[in-house]
Amino acid sequence: MDVALLYLALGGAYLVVVPLIIFFYLKSRWYVASSIERSFMYFMVFLYFPGMLLLAPFLNFRPKARQIEA
């Protein structure tokens, strides 16, 4: 039973928790990241790709609409 709970916890962390943290990190740093930080971002997306793919349909990080002033 302990092994099953360990697998469930590790699977949940790999598929849900860490990708969610990565999504919010990418949202906050995407336009201001240095080249080394951007390489780290790409590596994390590659490493946690199944979880990113699982969460992607439910998250919307489009930029806010601009207000055009005359």
Side-chain angles (χ1 to χ4, degrees):
M1 187 66 176
D2 292 338
V3 175
L5 288 174
L6 181 63
Y7 271 109
L8 185 65
L10 289 176
Y14 180 74
L15 289 175
V16 178
V17 177
V18 177
L20 195 61
I21 292 169
I22 292 171
F23 264 119
F24 285 107
Y25 175 73
L26 292 175
K27 181 183 181 220
S28 67
R29 296 289 301 164
W30 185 256
Y31 294 107
V32 294
S34 66
S35 60
I36 295 170
E37 186 178 2
R38 193 167 302 272
S39 298
F40 175 71
M41 289 176 177
Y42 292 149
F43 171 73
M44 293 303 284
V45 168
F46 176 73
L47 187 64
Y48 291 97
F49 184 73
M52 303 289 274
L53 203 58
L54 182 71
L55 292 177
F58 304 107
L59 299 174
N60 180 8
F61 291 131
R62 293 185 188 131
K64 303 274 191 245
R66 294 187 313 170
Q67 298 295 327
I68 299 174
E69 299 175 7

